Amino acid sequence: MSLLVVGSRRSAVLGRGLRCISCTTNSSCARKVTKRSIPEPLFQQSTVSFRSFRTASCLHAKVTKHFPLADIGEGIAEVVVKEWYVKVGDRVKEFDPICEVQSDKAAATITSRFDGVIESLEYEVDDMAKVGSTLVLIEVEEDIPGTEVQSTPEEEIVSPSTDSESDRVSVLATPAVRRIARENDINLSSVPATGKQGRVLKEDILRFLQGQTGPPQRPSDDTPTLVPTPAPPTPSPSPRPPVASPVLEDRVEDIKGIRSVMVKTMTAANAIPTFGFNDEITMDGLVAVRSQLKGVAADRGIKLSYMPFFVKAASMAMLQYPVLNSSPNSDCTKLTYKAQHNFGVAMDTPSGLVVPNIKSVQEKSILEVAAELQRLITLGAAGKLGPGDMAGGTFSLSNIGAIGGTYARPVLLPPEVLIGALGRMQTVPRFNRKDEVVKARILNISWSADHRVIDGATVARFSNLWKQYLEHPATLLADMR
């Protein structure tokens, strides 16, 4: 049974008994509070609420925070600042975008850790920023705790009959959640709580702001999920060639951004002795297979080029020659054989040359490889490739023939030990088995391998198997797992 005690700090609970409201001493009173000692109407309308609390005095101070560039992984030590999303004087909140940075592996958006006002930007666009250095200075407000004052137990009347008093019901929530509620004039007691012990979470209040009054409903296993099929992409018009502006006088510019990253990567690659191997592939059989599968791919919203076939054939051939999917350590005393086939595809983007990779090619079908390649191309064109798209590559292919040329000398991307460059497919005259001149579609391939750990015979055998898969696609399908 709940009892109501009317009074101020003079009344308190001692042991299991209730002290009489007329007593002011701390000694136990013989006159215990009973149901008879409380007026009947008041007893029926209210309930007891006993609450002890602390009060604290606080001072608010403005403090300048140094916001450093955090480690974004993959051994990246420095990045290029590509774009600022804020300027001096702007007010930002936690998780608001601050800037976009670019490394040799990926682009990333840096978000704020604080609520405050931007005091200064420490870098200009295209400057090189080191991990751990200060990106911006942010002025924030902090609470400086003062002297705490311990109060005596407080009794209050909580009546469920009036809305104004029901707002006083204690609600479990973090200070951040309470701040969101205060800024949006929300009564926390009206927000459905999904946390432990009835705690209101940040997700709860955000759903409340969006008009959803309960926790998200999870679909039942019996309910079928409809996956919409994306429409096939519309072909984009051919870009116009850039209009060349003549250089009227000598000028000097800094090598920065992607170019500075390329300088370091290529300088490291130049220290590795490489073995080159070239060959040509007859593409007639693959052209016919691709023509048959283009309609199936288009129905699934996938653009099917020849590259998925090249990538998948390389993965299957590499199962026979796993040393080509390995990487040496820095002093080339140990060799790590990679279980995953994370194959990179070089892309010419507005930001420069990038090589995102398709993860676990050995586990994907040709159409799955094509879908992932399409996603990477879209992100690359928009400059939105993330660190996960760039990290962990084990082998690379460059489709330089899309621009022009037949043979090339591709440069390794350490610590990978093999890279291939595809030339332009062209129709040329060839002799068939009857010594008749026929038209043939030919594509040239150029390989470069780390000659410290890969011998020429291994590259040649791998290339022959890769070539067989492409010239006779039936064998590719027969060996596919």
Side-chain angles (χ1 to χ4, degrees):
M1 177 177 68
S2 298
L3 295 178
L4 172 70
V5 178
V6 181
S8 62
R9 293 187 177 90
R10 297 170 54 194
S11 58
V13 179
L14 296 178
R16 295 185 178 180
L18 295 178
R19 191 178 56 196
C20 176
I21 61 176
S22 63
C23 294
T24 59
T25 65
N26 290 331
S27 60
S28 178
C29 178
R31 292 179 294 171
K32 303 297 181 182
V33 177
T34 64
K35 183 175 179 181
R36 294 190 182 91
S37 64
I38 302 175
E40 188 66 23
L42 185 59
F43 181 84
Q44 292 177 351
Q45 294 175 2
S46 305
T47 57
V48 170
S49 174
F50 294 99
R51 182 164 60 95
S52 295
F53 65 93
R54 288 177 178 265
T55 60
S57 59
C58 293
L59 298 177
H60 298 283
K62 292 185 177 181
V63 180
T64 297
K65 292 281 189 179
H66 289 255
F67 178 38
L69 174 62
D71 185 3
I72 58 180
E74 296 300 325
I76 296 173
E78 55 187 10
V79 296
V80 178
V81 178
K82 298 299 296 179
E83 182 180 0
W84 284 107
Y85 298 132
V86 296
K87 61 183 183 296
V88 174
D90 285 355
R91 180 170 292 278
V92 296
K93 294 184 177 181
E94 188 179 7
F95 305 121
D96 282 353
I98 295 291
C99 65
E100 181 179 344
V101 298
Q102 174 79 50
S103 70
D104 59 335
K105 297 180 182 295
T109 299
I110 306 299
T111 58
S112 175
R113 300 179 189 174
F114 314 107
D115 295 352
V117 178
I118 301 295
E119 279 194 350
S120 70
L121 307 179
E122 300 299 299
Y123 292 96
E124 300 291 337
V125 173
D126 287 336
D127 281 354
M128 187 71 73
K130 293 185 178 298
V131 170
S133 63
T134 300
L135 276 178
V136 295
L137 299 179
I138 303 179
E139 182 185 80
V140 302
E141 283 191 358
E142 287 190 346
D143 294 338
I144 301 178
T147 305
E148 292 189 351
V149 180
Q150 174 71 43
S151 70
T152 57
E154 171 78 8
E155 297 81 30
E156 62 181 4
I157 299 176
V158 180
S159 172
S161 60
T162 60
D163 293 338
S164 60
E165 294 184 9
S166 66
D167 293 346
R168 298 167 60 189
V169 175
S170 178
V171 177
L172 294 176
T174 62
V177 172
R178 295 184 184 278
R179 179 176 59 81
I180 297 175
R182 184 172 61 253
E183 292 174 352
N184 292 275
D185 195 22
I186 294 175
N187 180 7
L188 280 176
S189 62
S190 63
V191 178
T194 61
K196 292 183 178 180
Q197 300 179 347
R199 182 180 298 273
V200 177
L201 305 179
K202 184 177 181 180
E203 293 79 4
D204 298 332
I205 197 166
L206 292 179
R207 279 196 300 272
F208 188 84
L209 286 171
Q210 295 173 356
Q212 182 177 343
T213 59
Q217 299 296 323
R218 302 179 64 180
S220 63
D221 296 337
D222 298 333
T223 304
T225 302
L226 299 179
V227 180
T229 302
T234 56
S236 58
S238 300
R240 295 182 179 181
V243 179
S245 56
V247 178
L248 301 179
E249 59 182 13
D250 294 351
R251 71 172 185 271
V252 177
E253 62 181 23
D254 295 331
I255 298 178
K256 53 187 179 180
I258 296 297
R259 287 184 178 180
S260 66
V261 175
M262 187 181 298
V263 169
K264 297 180 180 180
T265 304
M266 294 298 100
T267 301
N270 192 51
I272 300 174
T274 57
F275 172 82
F277 184 85
N278 303 326
D279 203 353
E280 65 177 28
I281 307 162
T282 302
M283 294 283 292
D284 295 303
L286 186 58
V287 169
V289 170
R290 174 177 173 263
S291 298
Q292 295 173 5
L293 294 179
K294 280 183 67 176
V296 176
D299 291 340
R300 304 182 188 183
I302 301 172
K303 182 179 179 181
L304 183 62
S305 63
Y306 292 106
M307 182 60 77
F309 294 94
F310 300 147
V311 170
K312 186 62 181 179
S315 175
M316 294 180 61
M318 218 166 272
L319 293 174
Q320 305 298 322
Y321 302 96
V323 69
L324 298 176
N325 195 54
S326 65
S327 61
N329 60 354
S330 58
D331 57 358
C332 205
T333 57
K334 295 182 180 180
L335 196 62
T336 301
Y337 287 75
K338 302 291 186 177
Q340 299 299 313
H341 291 184
N342 299 339
F343 287 180
V345 179
M347 298 179 184
D348 182 27
T349 70
S351 301
L353 176 67
V354 295
V355 191
N357 61 79
I358 304 169
K359 301 292 193 292
S360 303
V361 175
Q362 80 281 2
E363 299 175 357
K364 288 180 168 61
S365 67
I366 290 176
L367 290 185
E368 288 173 335
V369 172
E372 178 64 6
L373 178 61
Q374 182 175 316
R375 184 187 71 86
L376 294 175
I377 291 174
T378 302
L379 293 177
K384 299 298 183 182
L385 288 166
D389 298 319
M390 307 290 291
T394 60
F395 163 76
S396 297
L397 274 176
S398 171
N399 189 18
I400 190 64
I403 299 175
T406 53
Y407 291 103
R409 191 175 74 88
V411 181
L412 286 171
L413 294 177
E416 298 174 14
V417 297
L418 183 67
I419 185 173
L422 302 163
R424 174 173 55 90
M425 188 170 66
Q426 51 189 335
T427 302
V428 296
R430 285 291 187 269
F431 288 99
N432 62 13
R433 294 181 179 178
K434 298 180 181 180
D435 288 336
E436 298 172 341
V437 177
V438 295
K439 291 193 305 181
R441 297 179 180 88
I442 299 298
L443 181 137
N444 305 106
I445 179 66
S446 304
W447 303 106
S448 290
D450 186 340
H451 213 2
R452 298 175 302 173
V453 294
I454 306 298
D455 58 78
T458 301
V459 177
R461 293 189 181 99
F462 163 80
S463 182
N464 289 340
L465 181 55
W466 180 76
K467 174 180 178 179
Q468 176 185 326
Y469 283 141
L470 297 176
E471 291 187 340
H472 306 283
T475 61
L476 180 66
L477 300 177
D479 292 344
M480 191 176 297
R481 298 179 181 179

